Structures are given as C-alpha cells and as structure tokens.
Amino acid sequence: MSYVDLNTIHNPSPGGVAPSAWGDQIRDNFEFLIDPPVCSVAGSGTQNVEHDDPTVLNAPTENFDNDGMHSTVSNTSRITAQTPGRYLFMATVRFDDNNNAGVRRVSLRVNGTTLIGGMQVHFVSTNGNPVRIQATRALVLSAGDYVEPVAYQNSGADLLTVHLDEFLAMFLTRS
C-alpha cells in the first residue's frame, strides 16, 4: 500500500463535506507511514571480482522486504522501487585479503547504467585482514527504478572472496 495525496480523492472547499473515501485514505496513509517500504538483502557466499572490472554483486538472501522490492529468483542483485519517492541505500561489502596493493571500491548503479559514486579505499597492502567498505546514498526513484551494488578492485589479481554483507533500501519520503 502506498501513500496517496488526499487532494486526488477530494479537494475540500469551505463548508464542504469530505467523502468517506477521504477518511479511509487518511487511515491508509498513516498505516503507510508506520511501516514504510524497506528491504534488506545479502549475498549467500563469496563472489569473484576480477581485476579492474566492476562487478554487480548478487544478493539471493532476503533479510526482510515489506514492499516486494526484491526477488530471490531472478535479478537478485536488484532492489526495485515499487513506491516512488526518496530512498536511502546502503551497501556493505567485505573484501578478503589478497596481500596486494590497490583500490577497493563499492558503488551503487541505478537502472543498469548510472554508476553513483560510493566509497573507495587505496591500500598499500591489507596485511592479511579483510576490509569492509560501505556505500551510502539517498536517491529519488520512480516506481520500477532499480539499484544494484557494484564492487571494484585493481589489486592485480582476481579477488575470489568478496562478500555482500548487506544491501539495504529504506523509504524516506515522497519526492
């Protein structure tokens, strides 16, 4: 259930009586605001990220999804807006060590084309320790727009152990 502008049901005039549908929509709008759209997904294992090749990360595991924004069967990398508005997206990715210097980056990609800057870290060496990086961004989406987490690294070798810890979308407000 999405938020509906009450003026689309009835534009009140002084002394006019609002129809019952107007009152019903007020109730529905409050219920929407109590439990706005939110979705949290994760990778179910590690994924290979080749040297110098941005890689979309799959998220076949759902933590929760109250608006049908994610599928565990097809296009598991995507969170798709069902309700238009402003959303806050966060992608947390763990890069396991390969002891090579280079860049580790997490970005967000909108509708398969627009890469939104995220977080990038330059390493001399990770000294045997995994590195977690989080990309966070507020985006205005229309119904049907989707966002995917993208990992990048240029350590000189493929990283076989990159894990999507969490990919989260939270509805903020109507746009």
Side-chain angles (χ1 to χ4, degrees):
M1 166 186 353
S2 64
Y3 177 90
V4 174
D5 184 352
L6 295 173
N7 284 332
T8 63
I9 296 171
H10 173 70
N11 193 353
S13 59
V17 177
S20 61
W22 195 71
D24 291 344
Q25 191 58 57
I26 288 174
R27 180 201 61 231
D28 292 346
N29 284 353
F30 277 124
E31 288 176 359
F32 172 80
L33 294 172
I34 290 169
D35 191 22
V38 64
C39 180
S40 171
V41 297
S44 61
T46 58
Q47 191 170 337
N48 182 43
V49 175
E50 294 180 7
H51 167 75
D52 206 27
D53 185 21
T55 303
V56 173
L57 299 176
N58 294 316
T61 303
E62 264 182 23
N63 298 320
F64 50 85
D65 178 6
N66 71 354
D67 199 32
M69 295 189 279
H70 181 261
S71 170
T72 58
V73 178
S74 64
N75 297 317
T76 65
S77 62
R78 299 178 181 182
I79 291 180
T80 304
Q82 304 301 315
T83 303
R86 290 182 185 94
Y87 287 82
L88 181 64
F89 281 87
M90 291 181 275
T92 305
V93 176
R94 184 182 71 234
F95 292 84
D96 284 349
D97 183 51
N98 72 347
N99 285 322
N100 292 344
V103 168
R104 311 293 189 274
R105 179 173 58 225
V106 177
S107 304
L108 301 171
R109 188 171 74 175
V110 181
N111 294 330
T113 57
T114 306
L115 198 61
I116 304 295
M119 172 74 88
Q120 178 170 297
V121 180
H122 298 267
F123 288 97
V124 175
S125 173
T126 56
N127 297 320
N129 296 311
V131 176
R132 278 192 173 77
I133 301 174
Q134 183 179 72
T136 304
R137 188 68 178 245
L139 299 168
V140 175
L141 300 177
S142 299
D145 287 346
Y146 65 91
V147 179
E148 301 170 294
V150 177
Y152 171 85
Q153 62 88 21
N154 68 354
S155 66
D158 295 356
L159 289 179
L160 305 176
T161 52
V162 176
H163 186 271
L164 179 62
D165 287 343
E166 183 178 32
F167 183 38
L168 175 71
M170 295 183 296
F171 181 84
L172 299 174
T173 184
R174 290 181 12 173
S175 54

